[in-house]
Every structure is written in structure tokens, then in C-alpha cells.
Amino acid sequence: MTVRVVLADDQPLVRNGLRVLMADAPDIDVVGEAGTGADAVQLVRDTEPDVAVMDIRMPGMDGIEATGLITAAAGATRVLILTTFDDDEYIYGALRAGASGFLVKDMALDDILGAIRVVAAGDALIAPSVTRRLIAEFAARPEPAPHPRPVGNITEREREVLTLVGRGMSNSEIAAHLYISVATAKAHIARLLTKLEARDRVQLVITAYEIGLVAPPRTPF
């Protein structure tokens, strides 16, 4: 399957560099480029890509607002944020807006391509070395969730699984922790996605923090 990608970044050199690098990947096709958030939203509507690789800081409509508009639409396009983790605090807002993960601009090409494939396949980019820190800092911020997800209809076992997802555990780690099979862990996560109307695993992680199942660590990673 070919993954159709839109690149949204206000720096032409960044877009050009990514496009050239992706040209060597036989399963990834760049179908368009945008230099602003508004252009990105329109381009996604016109081309219906699998993944939009989105910068945060762009003139006019920024990447957060653009992400919210894209993920709120009926299409299947997923958003992968392209940012600099240490400097760009807007990543937290982007996750709330529905982004399925993020890339760091100095990542290796193989990691960038792998992340695009992961998101296109319907999963979220949860890299323990970075995302646990990211989610912890996101969850520690004082602003409340604008629309908390109702969780009253989940079972006690699903609540346990949601807690472990919030801690950044993989399916195999959850299975080992609860003494269940990996297939059973996947089934619980699939039911959580349905019951909580969550787009992907990132939103499950955020929900676990927002409802207090997981507390941010007191010391940074």
C-alpha cells in the first residue's frame, strides 16, 4: 500500500528536503505541499492524503488550528506533527487537537519514514524515550480538558489497561503486567478506543492523565 502524504511547513527548504528524502521510499508518495495552516487544510480536503506532516509555527493559521480542523473532518487523514521538542511547547495543544503523534526535525530519515507508516496504519506514535516525557509535561499543565471523555461505561479491566497505556506501556508490556495474552491486550485497547470515541492511542494516553488514572512524575525523565 502506498501512503499518500501532504507536507505542511512554512520553510520551503524543509519541505523540499523531506520530499527528496521520501522520493526514495517506494511506499510513500508526497501528493502536495503547503506553507500555511490554511493551505494545509484546503490541500487535505482536495487530495485526501493518509497523513499530513504538519509544522506548528506557520503564518496565519498555525499547525494546531489546522490539525483540529483536519481531525474534526469526516476524512481519514491523520496528522503527524513536525516540531522541535525542546523549544515548541505548542505540541501539547496539537495533541489535544487530535494529532496522532509527532516528529522531531533532527530525527533520522528511517525514523521519519517509520513514523509516517505507523500513523498511516492507524496507530499512534508512542516512543517511550520521548513521548512519556511529552505526555507527562502535557498532563501537568493547568488548563483543563475542554471536553473530557466520559469513562463510566468501561470495565474494571479496561480501566487497568487504560492506566497502563497512560504509563506508556506497549501491548506486550501490558500483557506481561496483567498476565494476559498480547491479543487480549489488543482487544481491550480496541474496545477502549470504541467506548471512549478516541481516535488513537495518543488520545487514550491523554484521557488517562485527564481523568486522574495516571499522575505526572515529580521529576523529569
Side-chain angles (χ1 to χ4, degrees), residues 11-204:
Q11 299 182 35
L13 285 176
V14 172
R15 298 198 309 269
N16 183 65
L18 287 172
R19 186 181 68 251
V20 170
L21 292 173
M22 291 178 188
D24 291 331
D27 61 335
I28 295 179
D29 181 21
V30 177
V31 297
E33 301 177 27
T36 69
D39 287 345
V41 172
Q42 187 59 54
L43 185 58
V44 166
R45 290 172 179 166
D46 292 341
T47 63
E48 298 182 348
D50 301 299
V51 179
V53 179
M54 182 80 65
D55 190 14
I56 292 290
R57 294 176 178 172
M58 291 184 286
M61 181 188 296
D62 65 17
I64 295 176
E65 185 177 356
T67 295
L69 291 173
I70 290 171
T71 59
T77 300
R78 293 175 174 270
V79 177
L80 193 56
I81 295 297
L82 175 69
T83 188
T84 303
F85 175 77
D86 289 336
D87 298 330
D88 204 335
E89 296 184 354
Y90 295 114
I91 185 67
Y92 312 109
L95 288 178
R96 275 208 176 108
S100 295
F102 69 94
L103 299 175
V104 180
K105 288 186 177 179
D106 61 358
M107 287 176 66
L109 172 61
D110 286 345
D111 292 334
I112 293 175
L113 298 180
I116 291 172
R117 294 179 182 114
V118 165
V119 170
D123 206 342
L125 186 63
I126 299 288
S129 62
V130 179
T131 306
R132 287 176 184 173
R133 174 184 171 190
L134 170 69
I135 296 297
E137 292 189 22
F138 160 78
R141 293 176 176 268
E143 63 266 22
H147 302 290
R149 298 179 189 278
V151 295
N153 62 337
I154 66 174
T155 66
E156 185 59 34
R157 174 60 89 184
E158 289 166 350
R159 186 176 292 267
E160 289 178 316
V161 171
L162 181 59
T163 300
L164 299 179
V165 171
R167 292 176 182 170
M169 289 190 180
S170 65
N171 291 344
S172 58
E173 290 172 332
I174 292 172
H177 187 86
L178 296 178
Y179 301 101
I180 58 178
S181 69
V182 173
T184 299
K186 289 181 179 179
H188 283 308
I189 291 171
R191 285 194 291 271
L192 283 168
L193 289 170
T194 299
K195 289 184 177 182
L196 300 182
E197 299 181 353
R199 185 179 179 89
D200 51 39
R201 200 182 188 98
V202 165
Q203 292 191 344
L204 290 183

